């Protein structure tokens, strides 16, 4: 007898590696000849960036750079100076089973950094960088969705899944000049530069993906006026149209952006004043394409005519139930160690944020974070002050109710920091943060992956046209029909039952087939 099965192809995201590793940072930093001697270090700030990553033949190779920015007071004029050095590193990891089509994501942060002054021109640095490495592989899977022939009966269940359609990485080059205002003082040297992407959008249009956003760059600089500093901030818009083979009208596209390189240099104009800052940056856009599908899988089967060999396997996946990208603000009064000179504004040197804990309880996602607000200013005697203060933040969001386990890995980013004097020895800080993430429910279901009727082993009938069966509360018609080798729909029709679950003790008439 002819027997045919129907299948549906889906793809799940198979995590091959998800771990935290540490990269040591040990070096001696020597000031170049054009930098004056230091008298005291105000702050030694280190950041890290991943510049490239690749997976080949079961091995992940990561290249990155640790940027060290030393902010100090020089020994000659008592002015604020800065020197930045880059230390490159390479890290390799064995990832069994990984191929070139795998997707690797690496989040890097500085765990700690100790800076010790050896001489007026030499510093000793000792610290470590923590890398959160995740390698995923798109795993195609075929699910049995139907069968015909050999009097096969099927029990099916609709399973909603969010499947991975594909990923793509694209570097975006950004070059721009920032012109200072007429009232701004001329730039003597840049102390610190930072940048991140905000307002990012990703849309599928006509088989292509359009990504756009703004690169928000910020520079803190010394002016030609002694002990007076300035701060400039500008948003540089960008957009790209990308060809992604796996995109269609049912796709959901998402993009994450990482600034891999950023250089900001002052440039002197024809009038001799330095009021232009050139910006050169590279932004890595990672495009993820997913689809929300419903799979009608077979949870059980049998033949009323032949014995069958049935194999089952678990299908594990996720279903996206919520996505969010929001901004929120928090304010805090920061006490300064000394009185600040009123003519000199408080300047934000840098701000960094991280989430310390994320928990899901009672349909509420709570994200506890911390932002380090850093300030650079001058006191009433003309001395340079560096001061930093942590600001605790908290974000809460209601999540959809689900009987399944809910998972979410939100990301937190500092969008902007504004600071103003509220008293001679106090400042009012306002921090704007953005939080984004996808909320998934875990889906796990055992499905039939193979069925083989054995025509050499026909089943024997019981010989009766009807069987009387006393069913207990909670029994399912499928289980009863399978036990008596009949059809569940026929049992329901014979006994005029509305659904497949018995809600009370019932006498059933079981028809034979």
């Amino acid at each position: 007898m002819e027997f045919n099965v129907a299948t549906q192809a889906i793809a799940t995201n198979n995590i091959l590696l998800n771990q935290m590793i540490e990269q040591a940072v040990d070096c001696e930093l020597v000031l170049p000849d054009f930098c004056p001697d230091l008298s005291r270090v105000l702050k030694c700030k280190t950041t890290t960036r991943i510049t490239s990553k690749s997976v080949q033949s079961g091995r992940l190779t990561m290249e990155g750079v640790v940027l060290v920015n030393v902010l100090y007071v020089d020994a000659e004029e008592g002015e604020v100076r800065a020197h930045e050095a880059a230390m490159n590193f390479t890290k390799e990891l064995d990832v069994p089973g990984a191929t070139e089509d795998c997707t690797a994501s690496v989040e890097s942060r500085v765990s700690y950094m100790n800076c010790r002054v050896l001489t007026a021109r030499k510093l000793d640095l000792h610290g470590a960088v923590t890398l959160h490495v995740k390698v995923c592989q798109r795993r195609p899977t075929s699910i049995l969705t139907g069968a015909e022939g050999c009097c096969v009966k099927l029990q099916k269940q609709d399973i909603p899944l969010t499947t991975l359609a594909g990923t793509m990485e694209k570097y975006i080059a950004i070059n721009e000049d920032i012109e200072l205002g007429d009232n701004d003082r001329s730039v003597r040297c840049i102390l610190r530069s930072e940048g991140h992407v905000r307002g990012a959008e990703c849309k599928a249009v006509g088989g292509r993906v359009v990504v756009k956003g703004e690169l928000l760059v910020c520079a803190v600089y010394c002016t030609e006026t002694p002990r007076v500093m300035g701060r400039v901030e500008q948003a540089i818009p960008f957009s790209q149209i990308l060809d992604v083979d796996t995109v269609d009208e049912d796709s959901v596209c998402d993009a994450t952006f990482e600034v891999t390189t950023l250089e900001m240099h002052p440039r002197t104009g024809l009038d001799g004043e330095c009021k232009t800052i050139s910006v050169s940056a590279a932004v890595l856009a990672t495009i993820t394409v997913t689809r929300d599908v419903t799979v009608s899988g077979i949870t059980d089967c049998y033949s009323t005519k032949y014995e069958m060999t049935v194999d089952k396997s678990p299908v594990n996946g996720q279903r996206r139930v919520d996505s969010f990208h929001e901004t929120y603000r928090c304010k805090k009064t920061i006490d300064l160690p000394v009185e600040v000179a009123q003519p000199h504004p408080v300047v934000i040197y840098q701000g960094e944020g991280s989430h310390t804990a994320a928990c899901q309880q009672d349909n509420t996602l709570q994200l506890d974070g911390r932002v380090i607000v850093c300030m650079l200013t001058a006191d009433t005697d003309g001395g340079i002050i560096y001061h930093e203060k942590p600001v605790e933040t908290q974000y809460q969001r209601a999540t959809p109710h689900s009987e399944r386990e809910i998972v979410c890995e939100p990301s937190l980013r500092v969008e902007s920091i504004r600071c103003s004097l509220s008293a001679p020895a106090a400042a009012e800080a306002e921090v704007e943060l953005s939080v984004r993430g996808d909320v998934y429910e875990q889906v796990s279901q055992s499905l039939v992956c193979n069925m083989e009727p054995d025509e050499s082993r026909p089943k024997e009938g019981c010989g009766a046209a009807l069987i009387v069966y006393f069913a207990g509360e909670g029994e399912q018609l499928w289980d009863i029909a399978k036990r008596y080798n009949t059809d569940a729909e026929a049992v329901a029709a014979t006994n005029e039952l509305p659904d497949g679950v018995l809600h009370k003790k019932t006498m059933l008439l079981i028809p034979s087939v």
Side-chain angles (χ1 to χ4, degrees):
M1 181 178 291
E2 186 176 1
F3 180 73
N4 298 309
V5 297
T7 62
Q8 180 178 345
I10 63 171
T12 57
N13 204 19
N14 186 28
I15 300 177
L16 301 180
L17 179 69
N18 187 8
Q19 71 178 58
M20 309 287 286
I21 61 175
E22 194 172 86
Q23 172 71 34
V25 178
D26 294 288
C27 72
E28 285 188 353
L29 181 62
V30 179
L31 297 179
D33 294 339
F34 58 82
C35 288
D37 291 351
L38 63 85
S39 64
R40 62 186 175 98
V41 174
L42 296 173
K43 178 67 176 179
C44 179
K45 172 63 179 175
T46 52
T47 56
T48 178
R49 294 175 182 152
I50 300 299
T51 56
S52 68
K53 52 189 180 294
S54 61
V55 180
Q56 288 184 342
S57 303
R59 196 164 187 82
L60 169 64
T61 302
M62 299 166 285
E63 294 182 352
V65 59
V66 177
L67 299 174
V68 181
N69 182 270
V70 180
L71 188 71
Y72 68 96
V73 176
D74 69 50
E76 298 176 5
E77 303 175 1
E79 289 287 343
V80 180
R81 304 287 183 174
H83 174 63
E84 187 167 88
M87 294 174 289
N88 299 316
F89 67 87
T90 301
K91 192 76 173 180
E92 293 185 344
L93 289 176
D94 289 327
V95 187
T99 56
E100 294 183 5
D101 61 345
C102 290
T103 301
S105 63
V106 184
E107 296 180 2
S108 61
R109 62 178 177 85
V110 177
S111 304
Y112 67 94
M113 185 61 65
N114 297 323
C115 176
R116 184 165 61 96
V117 178
L118 300 179
T119 68
R121 304 197 63 80
K122 185 183 293 185
L123 302 170
D124 179 65
L125 301 178
H126 172 70
V129 172
T130 298
L131 306 175
H132 182 192
V133 184
K134 193 173 184 179
V135 180
C136 301
Q137 187 176 47
R138 184 174 179 268
R139 182 173 62 184
T141 304
S142 292
I143 303 296
L144 292 181
T145 57
E148 292 182 350
C150 296
C151 299
V152 170
K153 306 300 178 183
L154 305 177
Q155 184 184 48
K156 304 176 74 173
Q157 180 176 335
D158 288 340
I159 304 172
L161 292 172
T162 298
T163 64
L164 178 65
T167 58
M168 178 184 180
E169 292 185 343
K170 174 70 174 180
Y171 282 93
I172 302 173
I174 298 174
N175 297 282
E176 188 81 8
D177 286 339
I178 299 176
E179 302 293 341
L180 301 184
D182 295 336
N183 296 327
D184 293 327
R185 292 180 172 92
S186 182
V187 178
R188 181 179 182 183
C189 64
I190 292 179
L191 300 176
R192 175 73 179 174
S193 59
E194 296 177 306
H196 68 271
V197 174
R198 71 175 185 182
E201 296 181 11
C202 182
K203 295 181 180 179
V205 179
R208 293 183 173 184
V209 174
V210 178
V211 295
K212 62 180 181 179
E214 292 180 335
L215 174 63
L216 183 65
V217 294
C218 172
V220 177
Y221 57 91
C222 285
T223 68
E224 296 294 346
T225 304
R227 295 177 178 81
V228 174
M229 290 153 287
R231 181 178 186 272
V232 63
E233 183 178 280
Q234 183 160 318
I236 305 172
F238 65 87
S239 62
Q240 288 276 309
I241 300 177
L242 307 177
D243 292 320
V244 182
D245 296 336
T246 55
V247 170
D248 56 27
E249 62 274 6
D250 297 324
S251 300
V252 177
C253 299
D254 185 47
T256 59
F257 298 89
E258 180 183 359
V259 180
T260 57
T261 61
L262 175 64
E263 295 182 1
M264 299 182 70
H265 301 289
R267 197 172 67 193
T268 304
L270 298 176
D271 56 0
E273 286 196 321
C274 184
K275 287 197 171 185
T276 301
I277 298 176
S278 63
V279 179
S280 178
V283 175
L284 175 62
T286 302
I287 315 299
T288 303
V289 182
T290 59
R291 293 190 185 95
D292 294 329
V293 300
T294 299
V295 178
S296 183
I298 301 172
T299 56
D300 199 8
C301 64
Y302 63 92
S303 170
T304 59
K305 192 170 184 178
Y306 303 107
E307 298 292 341
M308 288 187 66
T309 300
V310 178
D311 297 323
K312 293 185 178 182
S313 66
V315 173
N316 300 313
Q318 294 180 325
R319 173 178 174 258
R320 180 173 43 233
V321 294
D322 190 21
S323 295
F324 57 92
H325 188 187
E326 298 178 348
T327 60
Y328 64 103
R329 291 178 172 84
C330 60
K331 293 183 179 181
K332 185 173 183 178
T333 300
I334 299 175
D335 294 327
L336 302 176
V338 296
E339 289 189 2
V340 174
Q342 290 293 341
H344 302 292
V346 174
V347 177
I348 299 300
Y349 173 54
Q350 68 222 4
E352 56 184 21
S354 64
H355 68 266
T356 56
C359 62
Q360 170 77 26
Q361 189 175 6
D362 298 330
N363 297 327
T364 300
L365 173 68
Q366 179 171 309
L367 181 65
D368 296 324
R370 171 178 291 181
V371 177
I372 307 298
V373 177
C374 309
M375 291 170 290
L376 186 64
T377 187
D379 62 19
T380 54
D381 296 328
I384 301 299
I385 303 170
Y386 175 85
H387 186 62
E388 62 181 41
K389 191 77 172 180
V391 176
E392 306 295 332
T393 67
Q394 188 178 88
Y395 171 84
Q396 288 186 336
R397 178 182 178 83
T399 57
H401 174 73
S402 175
E403 300 296 333
R404 300 186 176 103
E405 179 186 357
I406 293 291
V407 294
C408 180
E409 296 182 359
S411 61
L412 181 69
R413 182 188 294 277
V414 178
E415 293 290 341
S416 65
I417 299 177
R418 296 289 181 267
C419 203
S420 59
L421 291 178
S422 57
E428 186 75 20
E430 181 179 353
V431 182
E432 181 182 2
L433 303 103
S434 68
V435 59
R436 63 178 297 169
D438 292 319
V439 182
Y440 294 92
E441 61 177 10
Q442 301 286 68
V443 178
S444 182
Q445 181 67 53
S446 180
L447 297 179
V448 175
C449 60
N450 182 52
M451 62 176 80
E452 294 287 346
D454 189 351
E455 297 186 27
S456 65
R457 298 168 58 198
K459 289 184 176 180
E460 296 182 1
C462 64
L466 286 174
I467 297 174
V468 178
Y469 175 73
F470 293 92
E473 182 181 351
E475 285 196 71
Q476 296 189 12
L477 291 186
W478 171 267
D479 296 330
I480 298 171
K482 183 178 180 180
R483 185 186 312 156
Y484 288 98
N485 197 40
T486 187
D487 184 73
E489 294 181 358
V491 175
T494 301
N495 296 273
E496 298 182 351
L497 298 175
D499 55 41
V501 179
L502 301 175
H503 302 287
K504 62 181 180 179
K505 294 181 179 180
T506 307
M507 183 187 76
L508 298 178
L509 298 178
I510 311 297
S512 62
V513 294

